[in-house]
């Protein structure tokens, strides 16, 4: 399993010890699953004593929440910035899918945890993440609607189409590995072409 530097994954998280714990938790959750991972597993993976985890996080679930919330917040910010930067629905959708898929491939380990351990979150924490997901999906839905109104997209149901677009990107984290081909960047471009065709765009 490849190990990304904690400062690459969470540049805004402070202190550095908290980032190390989050990185160790990602690897342990990805290998063992959330429920089979102990706080000792996380702390030892970060090179700390078990008691050190509680200095930064009140519980194992708080570590998962920090990982999941951060991933979803960054996804939402990325989608917002792409859509704001390009008024053309086709161009915006192509860029959005390209970057979304490339991130899920390049950061497949953390993405797997962010996307597939949601059920382990406590109800209040889950509600926060679910709201971020709804806001992201609404942006994609609005973008598809714009394309339909501009007669560059043709889909039978916008809600279903938006979910399909996001699901394609999310699923990349399930199967991608460091030895997979093509590269994340190329894969993102290929998925962008497929999604535009799926949405009925005729070049």
């Amino acid at each position: 399993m490849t190990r990304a530097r904690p400062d690459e994954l969470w540049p805004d998280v402070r202190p550095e010890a908290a980032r190390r714990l989050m990185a160790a938790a990602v690897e342990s959750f990805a290998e063992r699953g959330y429920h089979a991972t102990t706080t000792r597993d996380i702390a030892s993976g970060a090179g700390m004593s078990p008691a050190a985890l509680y200095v930064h996080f009140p519980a194992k679930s708080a570590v998962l929440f920090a990982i999941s919330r951060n991933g979803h917040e960054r996804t939402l910010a990325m989608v917002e910035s792409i859509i704001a930067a390009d008024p053309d629905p086709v161009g915006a959708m192509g860029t959005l899918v390209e970057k979304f898929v490339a991130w899920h491939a390049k950061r497949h380990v953390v993405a797997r945890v962010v996307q597939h351990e949601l059920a382990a979150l406590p109800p209040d924490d889950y509600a926060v993440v679910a709201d971020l997901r709804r806001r992201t999906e609404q942006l994609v839905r609005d973008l598809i609607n714009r394309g339909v109104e501009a007669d560059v997209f043709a889909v039978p149901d916008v809600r279903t189409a938006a979910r399909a677009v996001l699901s394609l990107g999310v699923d990349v984290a399930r199967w991608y590995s460091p030895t997979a081909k093509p590269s994340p960047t190329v894969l993102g471009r290929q998925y962008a072409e497929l999604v535009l065709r799926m949405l009925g765009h005729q070049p």
Side-chain angles (χ1 to χ4, degrees), residues 81-106:
S81 65
I82 290 170
I83 292 175
D86 193 343
D88 173 30
V90 173
M93 181 60 74
T95 302
L96 188 158
V97 172
E98 183 176 335
K99 291 185 178 298
F100 189 72
V101 167
W103 186 87
H104 278 81
K106 185 176 181 182

Side-chain angles (χ1 to χ4, degrees), residues 24-92:
V26 162
E27 296 202 8
S28 192
F29 293 158
E31 289 178 351
R32 302 178 178 87
Y34 172 81
H35 294 291
T37 294
T38 66
T39 54
R40 182 179 293 274
D41 292 330
I42 297 170
S44 62
M48 302 178 190
S49 68
L53 183 143
Y54 296 102
V55 174
H56 305 284
F57 299 98
K60 179 178 72 169
S61 62
V63 187
L64 176 62
F65 178 50
I67 294 165
S68 188
R69 181 183 60 187
N70 186 280
H72 283 89
E73 285 176 342
R74 293 179 70 180
T75 296
L76 177 60
M78 180 192 74
V79 172
E80 287 175 332
S81 65
I82 290 170
I83 292 175
D86 193 343
D88 173 30
V90 173

